[in-house]
Amino acid sequence: MALTRPVPRAGRPPTTRTPPEGAEPAEGAAQYAARLEALLGDPRDPGNPYGRSALWAAGHDALPPPPAGLPGAGQARPAADRLARALRPLFRRDLALAHAWSIRPLLSAPVPHPAAVLLGPAALLAAAGGVLRGTARIVDDLSRYEPATRQWRPVLASIFADLLACESLTAVALRFCPAEGPGTGGGPTGSGASEQSGASFAAVVGYLVPQLVGDLLGDLELVLNECGFAGNTPERRILAKIVRDRAFAGVDWTAATAAQARIVRGLSAAGGAWRPDDGTELAARFRIAEAVPAEAPGTDGPQAVAATLAGATARLADADDADTAALARVARRLVIEQRALRAACAATDVHDPADPAARALADRQALLVLAAAALGVREAAAGARPSFLGGSGWALLALGRIAERLGLPLPGRTPDPQPGVWDELARRAAYGVDCDLHATGLLW
Amino acid sequence: MSVTRAAPGREQVVQIPPPCHVPGPDGPWEQVQERIEQTGRAVVHTTWGQWLTPALLDPGLRLLLGRDWPRYRQHPAPAGRLCFAVSRVVVKYAAAAALQIPADRLDLAYLPGGRPVLRGLGTDLQVSLTHTDELIVVGVSRAGPVGVDAEPAGRPISFELLRDHVCTAEEAELLAGLPEEERTERFLRLWTLKEAYTKALGHGMRRRFSALGFAWDETGAARLTADTAGEWTFATHLVEERFLVSEAHRRDTAPAAPGGIRAPAAVDVPVRLPSAEPPQGARVIGFPGRRGPGKR
């Protein structure tokens, strides 16, 4: 199977630090992903059973069988974040295919993989990132001779920042998953506390990601439409297929409301005893390039991550660049919001998932966990190469939009991070790099 | 009782009833609830003057406005400040009536870009808000996105200046052949329809109106030419005898009712007109060149 263009960064290990001795090598997941991507073939090849045309025609009932060499459920049980990374090419390729081949079998196996419920949102993010990359390439090309097209750059930059924040949340949630499923008793990370922690995180991810990505897909449809891509073009059909596949893959609003109900039931705990994290306990959970530490996480993952927001914000103080100083100002608004939310959660003993006020509290809680995850991942990547993820631009854009969603006024004198975020997006689109946290080079 | 009336001589009987007139927080809301149960959506209209006193005297106004309270307090223009507060109160009461819950249980939020949403309710209940002069119009829907837009019916508007911005080539050609007064009226209707549609999508004026084609069937009802699946319904009504109010609605499958709140019935059930309607019943304004035989 011939490659259609050179691979800019294929086969490279993920970005930041060297994994600790004895840890599961990240290269394994990256290598598996590269092999999987090659097996799936060129998505633009009309003769490829895993190509866009064939998958569009297959619908949900006639999906092709997996290629030889793709391990099924129950064979290998890698750590959750490694599993998601290894399957990323499948997620990028087609949401329905990802669900049929991997997510559904992992959910329905005699011992379901603890990460299975997080893979749907992970697949949705990967698929949406593919559309974003394609749309960014279109806008970048058109804007060279149609200046009006440049109006869409800030829109796409904002989508990119939102996706990176959601990727951060999902990655951290995956790193809270126990290594083994329930009942397997697999050592310290197989504890009930760990399982509960992963389940709580799955609720936040399962509620927030379908909702936010739904909004982003609407914006992508707008940009494609305004760039002259009508509903019958391949670009719009790819997008329409993701929208259509969401219910099949369990990442639509119906699934999100079920997840939201689980967040609501935990709101009383969110208003309970509060122990701000000084940044050391959970730092390893944010270092996405490293293996997950062996010790069991706390009893509630989302709360533990939310508790890092104040510390991460404090460490931004005395920043000497404008973006980071602005990020600190926005983050401080979110810390204040967190205090108010905690008081509101504590005001009621038992929150009812049917109460719209409780559902609103759950929404605020989930957005603050999202902000904390994005800030934590950015901080953990600071100083690493490539430098984009550790920079403040995308985080400032993402946290500013979270503040906007929360109804918080943005502080004055906030610099506009969109041009820098757009530059990174345009570069990734031009050179075939995924919109993920690892800036993974793509084969096709 | 609704004060909606169709423009004489241009009306066509359709299934979409005119917006419900609700003169204050105390309602009446029964008609809104009835429409929600029957079709999954309802449109409410009022004037901010009618709601002003009860809204401002409400000791719970600050709680009701929530995150909008600072915006209300800091609004630079007194009239704009009052309209801002009242319009948000109307949204909350209309949404609360649709869900049959107290209004202070709802949190009105805004997506980046400004689209109003009810926090945490997602697509379970969607809202749209428009106001012009003293008129306030709110759309609420439990069965898909909804958009509303309103303009004074007599608003002076230049077809020549705006045609390329608002119309497709076909629409512009059709309008160009009409007498000026009728053309202006039809042009305004087309504009409000496109505003309502793009607001339902959450895109507002970012979507090029000149790329959105509308056509009219033999009854004068508007339809989107690209909507081959027939998912969208549109209507325009003359409200308070001087405002054009357009609404757009996409008929999604009704979601499961959260928390025991009853989900709407099938959204395609024809609307039974309430007995309180004016004698002429539910009517919409037609469009030139697309009326039934003998109408022109």
Side-chain angles (χ1 to χ4, degrees):
Chain A
M1 200 174 296
L3 302 184
T4 54
R5 65 178 174 201
V7 184
R9 290 165 35 81
R12 290 208 190 160
T15 49
T16 50
R17 304 182 187 188
T18 305
E21 191 176 349
E24 185 183 350
E27 292 88 340
Q31 286 168 358
Y32 181 95
R35 182 176 167 218
L36 175 58
E37 191 167 24
L39 285 170
L40 290 173
D42 187 345
R44 290 156 296 191
D45 179 0
N48 179 1
Y50 312 122
R52 304 275 187 217
S53 304
L55 292 172
W56 173 268
H60 295 156
D61 299 326
L63 290 167
L70 182 69
Q75 285 183 252
R77 295 182 72 84
D81 61 332
R82 300 294 183 233
L83 176 67
R85 192 168 181 200
L87 294 174
R88 178 101 180 172
L90 176 60
F91 296 169
R92 268 197 308 268
R93 180 60 55 96
D94 189 82
L95 187 55
L97 202 64
H99 182 74
W101 283 7
S102 292
I103 302 170
R104 189 166 54 195
L106 285 168
L107 282 168
S108 57
V111 183
H113 195 289
V117 289
L118 288 166
L119 294 183
L124 181 61
L125 287 168
V131 179
L132 172 62
R133 213 174 48 254
T135 309
R137 189 160 188 169
I138 288 166
V139 167
D140 197 26
D141 288 347
L142 286 177
S143 61
R144 287 173 193 158
Y145 53 91
E146 286 183 22
T149 314
R150 292 177 192 161
Q151 68 177 300
W152 303 115
R153 290 177 174 182
V155 175
L156 297 182
S158 299
I159 294 173
F160 186 31
D162 280 0
L163 281 183
L164 287 174
C166 288
E167 294 272 13
S168 300
L169 175 70
T170 309
V172 174
L174 285 162
R175 294 168 67 81
F176 268 85
C177 279
E180 300 292 339
T184 54
T189 57
S191 68
S194 182
E195 287 158 16
Q196 181 189 334
S197 182
S200 303
F201 237 135
V204 173
V205 174
Y207 166 66
L208 213 47
V209 170
Q211 190 181 184
L212 294 185
V213 174
D215 292 343
L216 303 182
L217 292 174
D219 280 348
L220 285 167
E221 188 272 339
L222 169 70
V223 176
L224 282 172
N225 187 72
E226 295 306 299
C227 289
F229 287 75
N232 58 356
T233 56
E235 291 78 7
R236 287 283 297 276
R237 283 172 61 179
I238 292 168
L239 176 58
K241 188 171 189 310
I242 296 172
V243 172
R244 187 183 74 187
D245 288 346
R246 287 181 302 172
F248 178 72
V251 283
D252 59 351
W253 176 248
T254 302
T257 51
Q260 185 192 41
R262 295 198 296 277
I263 303 175
V264 169
R265 292 189 189 99
L267 283 177
S268 298
W274 188 255
R275 188 169 63 86
D277 181 78
D278 64 2
T280 55
E281 189 176 328
L282 290 180
R285 305 276 164 186
F286 295 129
R287 288 198 287 268
I288 55 165
E290 295 181 1
V292 179
E295 73 272 14
T299 55
D300 191 296
Q303 275 201 68
V305 168
T308 66
L309 187 61
T313 301
R315 289 189 292 278
L316 291 170
D318 305 323
D320 53 4
D321 69 286
D323 275 2
T324 308
L327 180 61
R329 292 197 295 273
V330 174
R332 275 196 288 273
R333 296 272 165 113
L334 296 170
V335 172
I336 294 168
E337 165 71 1
Q338 198 171 47
R339 286 194 205 105
L341 176 66
R342 210 161 56 240
C345 290
T348 303
D349 289 336
V350 180
H351 293 273
D352 179 3
D355 179 6
R359 297 176 71 183
L361 291 177
D363 183 85
R364 290 164 66 190
Q365 165 78 352
L367 286 169
L368 288 169
V369 176
L370 176 71
L375 210 54
V377 167
R378 186 215 71 90
E379 184 181 29
R385 308 296 297 177
S387 59
F388 177 74
L389 190 63
S392 296
W394 75 270
L396 174 59
L397 188 51
L399 263 62
R401 286 167 63 82
I402 291 170
E404 202 174 343
R405 287 176 185 274
L406 286 165
L408 307 175
L410 285 176
R413 297 177 289 109
T414 301
D416 182 6
Q418 286 172 343
V421 177
W422 162 257
D423 287 345
E424 170 71 9
L425 175 60
R427 187 189 68 79
R428 292 194 185 193
Y431 290 98
V433 178
D434 198 355
C435 292
D436 63 352
L437 299 174
H438 303 280
T440 306
L442 303 175
L443 195 57
W444 309 106
Chain B
M1 188 178 75
S2 170
V3 293
T4 301
R5 239 177 46 193
R10 296 198 178 91
E11 58 270 49
Q12 299 291 333
V13 176
V14 293
Q15 295 178 343
I16 298 174
C20 306
H21 178 230
V22 181
D26 292 333
W29 293 106
E30 290 78 8
Q31 195 178 52
V32 173
Q33 288 161 351
E34 183 179 329
R35 289 186 187 176
I36 289 288
E37 288 175 1
Q38 290 175 337
T39 69
R41 74 172 187 276
V43 177
V44 169
H45 78 85
T46 189
T47 58
W48 64 268
Q50 289 178 304
W51 280 61
L52 185 61
T53 302
L56 292 189
L57 291 180
D58 184 347
L61 180 63
R62 183 170 189 159
L63 182 66
L64 204 55
L65 289 181
R67 290 287 158 86
D68 280 329
W69 176 259
R71 288 179 66 192
Y72 158 61
R73 297 288 291 171
Q74 293 160 16
H75 201 291
R81 181 161 59 240
L82 297 175
C83 182
F84 176 87
V86 171
S87 63
R88 270 60 183 179
V89 171
V90 177
V91 170
K92 281 208 169 181
Y93 271 89
L99 295 173
Q100 302 188 29
I101 58 166
D104 62 7
R105 303 307 291 169
L106 295 170
D107 184 356
L108 183 62
Y110 304 90
L111 298 182
R115 182 185 194 179
V117 293
L118 293 165
R119 181 180 304 288
L121 298 193
T123 59
D124 287 347
L125 188 73
Q126 301 185 62
V127 296
S128 181
L129 165 67
T130 186
H131 49 82
T132 183
D133 292 347
E134 69 267 36
L135 183 76
I136 294 171
V137 180
V138 171
V140 291
S141 169
R142 300 201 61 209
V146 64
V148 292
D149 189 61
E151 288 288 347
R155 175 181 167 178
I157 185 171
S158 170
F159 172 68
E160 286 71 24
L161 282 178
L162 294 170
R163 59 183 287 172
D164 291 342
H165 172 67
V166 175
C167 300
T168 64
E170 293 77 13
E171 291 163 349
E173 185 183 350
L174 188 65
L175 289 167
L178 294 174
E180 183 174 353
E181 186 181 351
E182 190 175 0
R183 181 173 64 219
T184 301
E185 187 182 330
R186 305 303 180 181
F187 183 49
L188 199 56
R189 180 197 171 198
L190 184 65
W191 193 343
T192 57
L193 279 169
K194 293 189 177 186
E195 288 265 16
Y197 171 64
T198 56
K199 285 170 81 171
L201 290 175
H203 296 158
M205 295 191 70
R206 292 185 298 168
R207 205 167 186 107
R208 227 170 347 130
F209 284 8
S210 59
L212 298 174
F214 272 83
W216 283 262
D217 64 21
E218 63 280 358
T219 69
R223 66 176 177 82
L224 191 67
T225 53
D227 179 28
T228 52
E231 293 177 317
W232 288 86
T233 54
F234 300 91
T236 304
H237 292 92
L238 188 65
V239 168
E240 302 271 6
E241 301 188 350
R242 57 202 169 98
F243 295 106
L244 278 184
V245 174
S246 284
E247 60 177 282
H249 177 244
R250 193 179 73 205
R251 292 167 295 185
D252 287 354
T253 304
I261 301 170
R262 192 155 66 87
V267 293
D268 281 330
V269 175
V271 176
R272 181 180 62 79
L273 295 177
S275 57
E277 288 301 314
Q280 61 267 44
R283 295 169 188 276
V284 295
I285 302 166
F287 200 79
R290 295 293 187 274
R291 296 182 191 144
K295 294 286 182 182
R296 296 199 66 183

